[in-house]
Amino acid sequence: MRATDFIDLEAGTLSREIFSSEEIYRREVERVFAPAWSFVGHTSQLAKNGDFFLSRCGIEPVIVSRDQAGAINVLLNSCRHRGMPACRYDSGNATDFICSYHGWSYGLDGALVGVPKFRERYQGKLEREKWGLIRARVNVFHGSIWATFDDAALSFEDYLGPDMQFYLQALLQGPDGDDDGYEVIGGLVKWQVACNWKFGAENFAGDHYHGYSHISVERLSVGLSGKTSRHNFAAAKTPRQAMSVADPKRGHTIRASVFKDLAGYDVQAGAPDEVNDYYLKCHEERQKRLGDKARLLIHGGVIFPNTHFNSAGRTTIGLWLPLSAGKTEIWRWLFVPRNAPNIVKDTLREYYLRYAGPAGMVEQDDMENWTAAQHGTESLVARKYPFNYQLAMGLARPARADEWLGRDVSITEDVAEHNQRAFYAHWAERIADTP
Amino acid sequence: MTASDDRESALDTILLEAEIERFFSAEAEMLDERRFDAWLDLLHEDLRYWMPIARNVRFDKPETEYTREHSEANWFDEGKDILRKRVLQIQGGDHWAEEPRSRTTHLVANVRVEAIDGADITVKSRFVVCGYRLEHDVDLFIGKRIDVLRRVDGKLKILRRAIYLDQSVLLSRNLTTFF
Ligand code: FES
Ligand SMILES: [Fe+2]
């Protein structure tokens, strides 16, 4: 397989087959997901030693735990004896994980600590230190926990690259610009969609173009304030430039805006007083902390391949978890500012619930459209005709002009399929045997 | 208390449950016939509409099985204002997740009055909601409901609705129907 079998960057076209071929799905698992660093959760989910939750690393089921020494572990949730999940509770606090089949037990760090009939029938010879749960490499970045099972993978910092480190750090800053400013609210949102995972990924990567999908909700003022459209920044009077930012070497993408100047607070128009006061205070604090960089507003993006996030006043991080070429499970973590008063957390939480996920008035229309688009990748005739990715082609510029926006990234301003092209170009490189 | 008093109070309960069953049937019909404005009229202005997310937890931690309202992630945790917006969204013909419309059938069963407190009646029930959409899409939602109905000027209004869905990972792409 060659990259050019799927993508023609000159023409701006992409094969439909990559959304429906099971063979390509199997290659993705090995070549795209396995070598990647994946978001697996947040330290606020592990407040106490012994706390754990189940997650996914790539598409692999994992246990994320804080052991008795306080260290964070990411363990493949598969018993070394016959492959049972060592843990079948979504979350909790434990001293060990006991496999329900033959009773092997594992410590919070994955060490095999108990084997029934160890002395009598294994004659004490089973090398317990070799049969612990498989441990992933772990990296904690401003509260977010990342993991990979690939020993050959780059370091987390190199995988992200310098520019995406900047954007991810910005994403995880609280509204006041404080690093590590968020906590996860209890309960992950998980649901299944009958479409290829890349429909979600490319939408989050850079689709500034699909306003038409959401016209119904634009009528209804579902924003945080309940008075402006679906986005809080819709109330801002300061002009801003929307942009697609892509790191072509690594496949990461960001949707963002840069405000023209460091303007006064004009974002949360009409929010309840206490909420408005909180955001006003944060706005000033953030400008003090970040200076000129406070002009940046991140809307969302994708850390290659399947970690996606939404920002711009509602911070969520999620995973696209393919189950097959045509089926995807979606997981979402909802974040609220750690130090905010409860009324802010609650108002924000209600905003997420009406916005995102299967009950979200905005995202419902995304899911509907992606599953319908999936049909367009299955017909034999249709598959001869590629998809069109020509929107704003050839208008990219390097970021060097505004140095703080990144060194390696390229940018296209306004509505564009710049990020989708970068995402798929990198994807095709990973999938291909030869360029 | 005499035998006839016992009989009286048993009959009162039966009559009340019959009234509530009819109320729920009429409500289900409004939803299935897409008479959403009539449905909104059944909701008390102070309604809390809550559908938690189910988690898989240890047997001795049943209180953590469903996410909490007012603090955790839920499928729904909102009031009548947002439900009104949801109805307006569906009615516009531009909410693609319901355009063209799904065909739904709402069944409510095992209706049982749990408690009566002044004008407020707590009712437990079970539901099956089937949604068929476009050519091939099927959604099936099964679970339990605990409602608080308030009698206002002789009419029942839904003051609180707790909807416990049996699914954990939602096996449907969307929750565009009402429960
Ligand atoms: S499968 Fe886990 S102990 Fe046998
Ligand atoms: Fe969208």
Side-chain angles (χ1 to χ4, degrees):
Chain A
M1 281 187 192
R2 291 182 318 182
T4 49
D5 293 344
F6 310 116
I7 187 163
D8 184 336
L9 281 172
E10 231 119 90
T13 57
L14 181 74
S15 155
R16 296 186 183 216
E17 199 190 341
I18 68 164
F19 298 91
S20 54
S21 152
E22 292 298 334
E23 189 195 342
I24 290 175
Y25 163 68
R26 281 191 296 275
R27 277 174 91 90
E28 283 177 333
V29 172
E30 280 174 36
R31 292 168 178 248
V32 175
F33 282 80
W37 279 89
S38 169
F39 173 83
V40 298
H42 191 263
T43 49
S44 60
Q45 295 176 272
L46 302 172
K48 296 189 295 293
N49 291 351
D51 283 353
F52 71 87
F53 58 90
L54 298 188
S55 186
R56 294 279 196 275
C57 172
I59 61 167
E60 303 291 338
V62 292
I63 307 170
V64 185
S65 67
R66 190 185 283 282
D67 61 35
Q68 297 308 345
I72 291 174
N73 306 274
V74 177
L75 312 165
L76 191 67
N77 192 10
S78 179
C79 176
R80 294 294 301 281
H81 185 233
R82 288 294 180 279
M84 281 284 300
C87 174
R88 303 206 292 165
Y89 304 121
D90 291 346
S91 59
N93 186 277
T95 49
D96 54 11
F97 304 111
I98 306 179
C99 174
S100 58
Y101 198 171
H102 308 92
W104 284 22
S105 57
Y106 300 93
L108 290 157
D109 59 355
L112 179 61
V113 290
V115 176
K117 300 208 186 297
F118 173 71
R119 221 158 293 140
E120 303 91 308
R121 303 307 295 162
Y122 286 101
Q123 290 101 38
K125 287 184 196 149
L126 176 82
E127 296 172 280
R128 281 183 291 197
E129 60 291 350
K130 287 194 182 158
W131 292 93
L133 295 177
I134 308 296
R135 294 171 58 84
R137 291 164 66 190
V138 181
N139 197 289
V140 177
F141 185 84
H142 297 294
S144 60
I145 308 169
W146 299 75
T148 181
F149 285 104
D150 186 357
D151 291 330
L154 300 170
S155 72
F156 176 71
E157 286 76 13
D158 289 341
Y159 184 84
L160 272 192
D163 300 338
M164 195 47 65
Q165 282 182 56
F166 163 72
Y167 286 104
L168 185 59
Q169 180 179 358
L171 174 82
L172 295 165
Q173 278 161 350
D176 56 358
D178 190 13
D179 281 338
D180 202 353
Y182 281 101
E183 65 188 16
V184 175
I185 66 173
L188 303 186
V189 185
K190 304 173 185 175
W191 74 104
Q192 294 188 347
V193 187
C195 69
N196 187 271
W197 67 278
K198 294 188 291 298
F199 279 116
E202 68 151 74
N203 178 286
F204 269 63
D207 203 325
H208 279 301
Y209 183 50
H210 74 294
Y212 190 70
S213 292
H214 300 303
I215 49 172
S216 66
V217 87
E218 288 297 347
R219 298 187 267 117
L220 298 167
S221 306
V222 296
L224 185 56
S225 68
K227 298 226 170 97
T228 57
S229 88
R230 65 191 169 105
H231 296 301
N232 301 329
F233 58 80
K237 287 167 207 79
T238 316
R240 61 182 172 85
Q241 180 61 61
M243 347 175 272
S244 298
V245 184
D247 183 337
K249 260 202 267 179
R250 302 173 182 89
H252 310 312
T253 50
I254 290 282
R255 287 172 289 122
S257 291
V258 176
F259 284 100
K260 197 161 155 280
D261 42 51
L262 276 180
Y265 173 75
D266 59 1
V267 173
Q268 302 293 331
D273 280 351
E274 284 151 289
V275 178
N276 203 48
D277 292 350
Y278 169 78
Y279 279 101
L280 168 63
K281 218 175 71 216
C282 288
H283 181 83
E284 287 162 359
E285 196 62 34
R286 184 165 181 271
Q287 293 195 346
K288 249 186 264 161
R289 274 206 174 101
L290 306 181
D292 193 43
K293 292 179 187 167
R295 292 192 293 128
L296 176 70
L297 173 76
I298 298 181
H299 297 225
V302 171
I303 308 280
F304 192 85
N306 70 323
T307 301
H308 61 276
F309 49 90
N310 232 312
S311 183
R314 35 163 216 285
T315 301
T316 61
I317 300 183
L319 299 173
W320 314 113
L321 301 166
L323 305 171
S324 65
K327 195 158 189 189
T328 301
E329 191 160 302
I330 307 175
W331 286 26
R332 285 278 170 74
W333 284 252
L334 314 183
F335 290 84
V336 291
R338 206 151 45 104
N339 299 320
N342 279 339
I343 182 167
V344 172
K345 293 183 184 179
D346 206 36
T347 312
L348 205 47
R349 191 184 59 90
E350 289 189 10
Y351 174 37
Y352 296 141
L353 300 186
R354 67 178 176 263
Y355 192 104
M361 297 167 68
V362 179
E363 285 196 341
Q364 286 175 345
D365 290 318
D366 290 319
M367 263 91 72
E368 182 75 9
N369 286 330
W370 302 339
T371 48
Q374 181 68 23
H375 295 298
T377 68
E378 282 159 5
S379 134
L380 208 59
V381 175
R383 278 204 325 227
K384 292 187 202 147
Y385 301 89
F387 284 151
N388 183 307
Y389 288 80
Q390 297 170 338
L391 186 68
M393 209 162 68
L395 303 179
R397 64 171 171 83
R400 288 172 203 283
D402 328 79
E403 219 174 89
W404 61 269
L405 289 176
R407 291 196 330 248
D408 294 354
V409 290
S410 71
I411 292 177
T412 299
E413 286 173 347
D414 215 323
V415 173
E417 282 167 350
H418 173 84
N419 283 3
Q420 292 94 318
R421 289 187 290 268
F423 174 86
Y424 285 118
H426 188 69
W427 176 91
E429 253 173 56
R430 292 281 186 99
I431 285 288
D433 299 304
T434 50
Chain B
M1 214 188 242
T2 65
S4 87
D5 282 347
D6 279 354
R7 198 181 139 77
E8 270 310 276
S9 98
L11 280 174
D12 281 351
T13 306
I14 288 169
L15 282 174
L16 182 60
E17 280 177 350
E19 181 193 0
I20 293 169
E21 272 182 36
R22 273 208 311 275
F23 176 79
F24 285 160
S25 301
E27 182 193 7
E29 199 165 278
M30 288 172 192
L31 291 173
D32 295 340
E33 292 177 356
R34 302 159 184 155
R35 289 184 284 121
F36 297 116
D37 292 318
W39 179 70
L40 284 172
D41 281 342
L42 302 181
L43 311 181
H44 194 280
E45 287 307 310
D46 301 330
L47 165 77
R48 194 73 194 169
Y49 185 85
W50 174 54
M51 184 195 269
I53 299 173
R55 294 181 276 218
N56 301 297
V57 298
R58 268 174 67 117
F59 77 104
D60 56 353
K61 296 267 185 270
E63 70 284 0
T64 63
E65 181 165 8
Y66 286 95
T67 53
R68 283 169 296 150
E69 57 187 318
H70 292 300
S71 65
E72 293 190 303
N74 294 280
W75 296 123
F76 297 98
D77 189 9
E78 61 199 32
K80 189 170 176 179
D81 51 339
I82 301 301
L83 287 169
R84 206 177 269 126
K85 289 187 190 209
R86 291 184 188 276
V87 165
L88 285 169
Q89 188 180 24
I90 293 173
Q91 286 172 332
D94 51 2
H95 180 25
W96 314 122
E98 274 300 323
E99 184 58 33
R101 299 272 178 92
S102 304
R103 287 163 291 280
T104 63
T105 295
H106 287 70
L107 303 175
V108 184
N110 302 19
V111 175
R112 201 172 59 76
V113 169
E114 173 84 358
I116 301 174
D117 179 9
D120 293 351
I121 310 158
T122 302
V123 190
K124 287 185 157 182
S125 61
R126 301 286 184 272
F127 65 84
V128 175
V129 177
C130 304
Y132 288 80
R133 166 150 198 72
L134 300 169
E135 290 176 299
H136 309 122
D137 297 345
V138 185
D139 294 321
L140 186 59
F141 305 111
I142 299 179
K144 292 106 185 151
R145 238 172 47 190
I146 302 177
D147 292 313
V148 177
L149 306 178
R150 176 169 290 178
R151 208 179 282 283
V152 182
D153 301 329
K155 284 211 187 91
L156 292 174
K157 295 274 177 189
I158 304 161
L159 178 66
R160 181 181 154 71
R161 175 156 287 173
I163 308 147
Y164 298 87
L165 195 62
D166 290 343
Q167 303 176 40
S168 164
V169 174
L170 192 81
L171 302 174
S172 296
R173 64 175 177 263
N174 279 331
L175 287 164
T176 48
T177 189
F178 302 103
F179 291 86

